[in-house]
Amino acid sequence: LDCDNLESLDTLLRIVATDVQTLVVLGSRAVFFRPWCIGEVTTAHAYGIEGVMLSLPGMDVLDRDTIENINVMVPDLEFLVDHGVRMDDIRKALATYSAK
C-alpha cells in the first residue's frame, strides 16, 4: 500500500483501517525498519485485521530487543507518533511478527 500512497500517511492508515481485510507483509530485509510499513502493521493490528507474513530471503527476524528499542533503531518513528500512532501499539503489533 505505501508505494501507492506515500503522499499522505493519514490517507494510507485510513485505507488500512477501513479497506483491508488481510494485510500481507512482504518480509524484506528492511520492512520493519520503514516507518510507513510499521504504521500499516500497527494500524492493522489496532483494528483487528489479520496480518500474514511472506518471508523473503535475507529477512531480519524481529527479536525482543529490537522491538523494545525500535524507537532508537528507527528514529523516524516520531513521524508516526505525531499522527497518533503510539509506541506501545507499535511494539505490540511488531511482537506478532517476532521470532517465537
Side-chain angles (χ1 to χ4, degrees), residues 18-99:
T18 60
D19 294 340
V20 172
Q21 294 176 3
T22 301
L23 183 70
V24 178
V25 178
L26 296 178
S28 66
R29 177 175 270 298
V31 69
F32 292 117
F33 298 96
R34 296 180 61 207
W36 292 75
C37 296
I38 292 173
E40 291 176 62
V41 167
T42 303
T43 300
H45 185 262
Y47 282 85
I49 296 166
E50 178 184 16
V52 176
M53 172 68 76
L54 176 61
S55 298
L56 299 176
M59 180 188 164
D60 291 331
V61 178
L62 289 172
D63 59 28
R64 187 174 288 152
D65 285 339
T66 301
I67 293 169
E68 189 57 38
N69 296 300
I70 197 71
N71 57 315
V72 174
M73 300 182 83
V74 185
D76 294 341
L77 285 184
E78 288 303 315
F79 178 71
L80 292 176
V81 173
D82 292 345
H83 287 272
V85 180
R86 299 177 337 155
M87 287 305 302
D88 306 359
D89 295 332
I90 290 170
R91 289 185 180 103
K92 287 176 188 172
L94 293 179
T96 65
Y97 294 93
S98 69

